[in-house]
Amino acid sequence: MSRTPRTGVAPVPEQPRRADAGPPPAAPLAAPAPVTPQGSPTVTPAGAATATPQGSPTVTPSATALARSAAEAAGRLLARPTVGLGDVVPAPVSVRPRPAADLVLPADAAVRVSADPAAREVAEHLAELLRPATGYPLPVADLPTAPGPLQLTLGAAAAPRPTGAAAGDEEGYRLDVDPDGVRITADTATGLFHGVQTLRQLLPTAVESRTPVAERWVVPGGTIVDRPRFPYRGAMLDVARHFFGVDDVCRVLDHLARYKLNHLHLHLTDDQGWRIAVDSWPRLTAVGGRTEVGGGPGGWYTAADYRRIVEYAARRHITVVPEVDLPGHTNAALVAYPELAPDKVAPPPYTGTEVGFSHVDPADERTYAFVADVLGELAAATPGPWLHIGGDEAYKVKGVAYTGFVERVQRIVAGLGRTVVGWHQIAPAGQVDGRVLQWWGTDGDDPTVAEAVRRGARLILSPGNHAYLDMKYTPDTPLGHDWAGLIDVHRAYHWDPATHLAGVPAEAVLGLEAPLWTESVTSMAEIEFLLLPRLPALAEVAWSTPSTRSWAGFRDRLAGHGPRWHAAGIAFHPSPEIPWPAAPPVRHLPRTAPTSRPTHTATSRHLPPAADAPRSPALDQPSPAHTPAPETPQPMPAPVPRANDTRTS
Ligand code: TNX
């Protein structure tokens, strides 16, 4: 069986334009000198003089100068946005377009921000997102009294609450666009960050380019007021079945941030490998980290690696939720420390995909010393409030042996001042304050879980048949599982966490999480293929109020993201459920320095890289000046004929 998902290679025509969009973009710029709208060549003052073969000096303008002059020329033309104010995923609470109030971002724009360190970081992030494609310098400066074209304001007074606002206020924001500028206001830096992600989606697709593009940077006029429905909006990456390095995890964090997800759960340990260094038990990684499914080399995070992940996440307002899966799923730990095994004999390393055969010894005190050491070190390295203790599929630890074990581990976590999260199998164990069950069942009726909720447990919903990102889209999806069914984009979209589980009140539901198990996933391209486009569907389920979302609206709004992912070098599944447009031609400005072909830094063992291969492993890092781009932009996956999709909800 071929394991190559369709990432597409066919050339595509120009993107169809929205009916309400403005005139077509300016003509491509000729290298080396840009051309004015009147057709006369210009020489960019910032350029460097070189000699032609004939010996006469010409000027090779810098990419930045070219972008600026192109934008200025373009700004003289009538500019209208290519994106509508409502074309945002996840759908905002309220959108009030003012078509006469569009903004053209000027080349000399500064990002003005309230004098607050966290807000300033958001402003820097915005500038870093916009600089590569615009080529504009976008300096970040404190907020003056006079309005500027990009303004981030922190403070309750600045963010009037929509009526009835309650949960989610601290992550909410307001975005106003008029011809003078974009103003994002929020109570918190997190709200500003989400507003920045919205602004990014309102700019033309070319904003995703990592090199300067000739474009009119138009933002549609009007006002968006927005806040999330659920406070916990997450995804999980299983780095135990196959190991993924720090750069890959950061790239996944970028995808989460784009869609306003705020938790990344890392499944750090399993039968096939132990992925997090623990100083007091060094063989966990030295021995237990060297294996993975299929016999590959495995790997693990050092303390410094983990810190990088946590910090990268924090800069994107994402909380890392580390999981140590106990008492089952522990073969790798038993290989490293046989004293933890019930028979005190080291099992052979495991590189298959079965579950439920291994466990630590719940009757040995040494096991609890181990758990306390591991969770203690992990808590010290983790700024977020959660510690995930697994608890799933420990088939050989039954009855009170199991509940007694879970209760002791819950107490260890509480003693560390953290909140316990566990897969819903821990439901029968006694309640500790604030504990959270992660429900991964497939039929919305689970009396044991409903009873645990009555005793005070809260829930994160990961229904296997809606939220599992390792399920196949269709029977012929070349990777993934199907034990919980097939999950196409509609299925990922079509459910409601608040009403999903019988006997569980909406107030007990913290939100949802989309797990990506990696038994069959071995590369970044494969991760992205399974993540996109289902992750934005699940993000909308978690963020948007039911009254603002519909399948028909979602698929239309999502369609424009295909060209964005393509421009950013992100692989995705071109599901026929979504009316993808063709990729717009990206008009890269001429280079100023020689570049080489992009290097695909992610491990890709089965799939070719995305058409426009990832050029930096983490997408939203400041782009180094030499970041290469392909000489000729590669085509987007062939648009699939618009499916006759009559599903409306
Ligand atoms: C079930 S969901 C598991 C994992 C597997 C996954 C594959 C859960 C808590 N346990 O061990 O990787 O199915 O889909």
Side-chain angles (χ1 to χ4, degrees):
M1 178 180 65
S2 157
R3 288 173 48 87
T4 308
R6 259 185 70 210
T7 47
V9 288
V12 288
E14 187 170 355
Q15 182 182 18
R17 296 172 57 72
R18 295 173 53 87
D20 63 343
L29 296 175
V35 175
T36 65
Q38 291 72 37
S40 52
T42 62
V43 173
T44 310
T50 55
T52 63
Q54 291 75 34
S56 53
T58 65
V59 169
T60 308
S62 76
T64 302
L66 278 170
R68 193 171 309 151
S69 67
E72 281 163 7
R76 287 191 290 274
L77 301 170
L78 176 64
R80 293 194 53 203
T82 50
V83 185
L85 192 71
D87 289 347
V88 175
V89 176
V93 169
S94 120
V95 177
R96 285 202 313 277
R98 275 179 63 208
D102 298 339
L103 164 77
V104 181
L105 192 66
D108 60 357
V111 183
R112 305 278 185 189
V113 60
S114 298
D116 169 272
R120 182 148 190 132
E121 272 216 40
V122 178
E124 298 285 358
H125 181 79
L126 171 62
E128 284 161 13
L129 287 179
L130 304 190
R131 279 183 197 129
T134 60
Y136 298 168
L138 295 167
V140 175
D142 282 351
L143 204 58
T145 39
L150 289 170
Q151 196 169 300
L152 307 186
T153 309
L154 200 57
R161 294 208 165 124
T163 359
D169 275 354
E170 65 288 346
E171 289 193 90
Y173 67 92
R174 175 185 169 116
L175 181 144
D176 292 288
V177 182
D178 64 31
D180 292 331
V182 180
R183 286 173 306 286
I184 302 173
T185 51
D187 288 0
T188 65
T190 303
L192 291 179
F193 185 83
H194 294 321
V196 161
Q197 300 308 317
T198 294
L199 171 58
R200 180 185 195 181
Q201 292 186 24
L202 295 175
L203 282 156
T205 299
V207 75
E208 299 295 337
S209 169
R210 309 308 289 164
T211 52
V213 170
E215 178 64 82
R216 290 183 298 266
W217 302 106
V218 187
V219 187
T223 296
I224 289 178
V225 180
D226 202 8
R227 66 182 185 287
R229 181 181 184 204
F230 291 106
Y232 190 106
R233 307 177 306 279
M236 187 206 82
L237 183 63
D238 169 12
V239 293
R241 270 46 180 277
H242 281 102
F243 179 65
F244 294 92
V246 175
D247 289 343
D248 286 344
V249 175
C250 291
R251 197 171 156 103
V252 168
L253 284 162
D254 288 334
H255 298 332
L256 266 54
R258 232 177 233 273
Y259 296 106
K260 304 187 174 82
L261 295 168
N262 62 357
H263 287 82
L264 177 68
H265 167 185
L266 288 175
H267 183 74
L268 289 168
T269 70
D270 214 305
D271 293 317
Q272 298 86 349
W274 186 284
R275 308 299 180 206
I276 182 75
V278 178
D279 284 349
S280 49
W281 296 73
R283 288 167 57 82
L284 288 171
T285 46
V287 174
R290 295 188 185 280
T291 43
E292 64 182 352
V293 167
W300 64 87
Y301 306 123
T302 63
D305 291 337
Y306 186 68
R307 199 177 317 120
R308 260 184 71 203
I309 291 172
V310 162
E311 287 172 3
Y312 194 90
R315 283 197 299 277
R316 281 146 190 79
H317 298 263
I318 295 172
T319 302
V320 170
V321 182
E323 176 187 352
V324 173
D325 204 348
L326 296 164
H329 290 275
T330 39
N331 199 76
L334 306 183
V335 176
Y337 291 102
E339 70 212 71
L340 299 172
D343 57 4
K344 313 298 171 201
V345 175
Y350 186 67
T351 59
T353 60
E354 296 299 315
V355 297
F357 56 89
S358 63
H359 63 93
V360 292
D361 185 356
D364 191 331
E365 279 308 304
R366 185 93 179 114
T367 296
Y368 298 97
F370 160 79
V371 172
D373 289 345
V374 168
L375 293 181
E377 288 195 29
L378 204 50
T382 303
W386 322 101
L387 283 184
H388 199 305
I389 61 169
D392 58 317
E393 299 171 325
Y395 299 137
K396 294 190 172 168
V397 189
K398 299 187 166 75
V400 288
Y402 177 81
T403 49
F405 175 87
V406 170
E407 283 162 9
R408 274 192 75 169
V409 176
Q410 290 184 159
R411 284 199 295 277
I412 291 171
V413 173
L416 292 164
R418 300 306 165 96
T419 302
V420 175
V421 190
W423 297 106
H424 73 257
Q425 278 73 19
I426 70 167
Q431 174 64 14
V432 288
D433 251 9
R435 112 182 146 129
V436 176
L437 310 181
Q438 184 169 3
W439 188 79
W440 58 281
T442 52
D443 95 7
D445 189 12
D446 191 329
T448 314
V449 168
E451 166 56 21
V453 169
R454 277 193 288 280
R455 287 186 282 127
R458 297 172 296 165
L459 283 188
I460 294 168
L461 289 189
S462 303
N465 51 350
H466 290 281
Y468 263 39
L469 294 169
D470 59 320
M471 292 303 124
K472 293 171 183 282
Y473 291 92
T474 61
D476 60 355
T477 301
L479 68 167
H481 297 135
D482 60 6
W483 65 259
L486 301 170
I487 304 184
D488 60 12
V489 188
H490 180 263
R491 192 161 186 82
Y493 189 75
H494 193 61
W495 65 290
D496 181 353
T499 56
H500 193 75
L501 256 191
V504 169
E507 305 77 70
V509 176
L510 290 178
L512 71 80
E513 186 178 291
L516 179 53
W517 300 99
T518 60
E519 286 95 334
S520 70
V521 182
T522 62
S523 69
M524 193 64 221
E526 289 175 349
I527 288 178
E528 289 177 342
F529 175 83
L530 291 170
L531 230 56
L532 301 171
R534 291 182 292 197
L535 190 75
L538 290 153
E540 183 151 311
V541 174
W543 177 280
S544 306
T545 45
S547 61
T548 58
R549 70 180 183 93
S550 75
W551 169 244
F554 172 73
R555 58 199 285 275
D556 282 350
R557 279 179 286 114
L558 184 67
H561 290 235
R564 284 172 193 269
W565 298 328
H566 179 69
I570 300 168
F572 66 99
H573 167 54
S575 163
E577 300 164 276
I578 308 298
W580 308 109
V586 176
R587 297 170 305 283
H588 287 282
L589 288 164
R591 261 178 246 301
T592 51
T595 56
S596 53
R597 279 296 298 168
T599 319
H600 184 56
T601 44
T603 42
S604 184
R605 285 169 239 167
H606 293 296
L607 279 183
D612 185 357
R615 293 176 291 280
S616 71
L619 290 162
D620 297 341
Q621 306 253 50
S623 180
H626 63 268
T627 298
E631 290 300 332
T632 312
Q634 299 297 300
M636 205 178 89
V640 189
R642 194 181 171 120
N644 188 16
D645 192 337
T646 51
R647 297 172 294 194
T648 51
S649 56

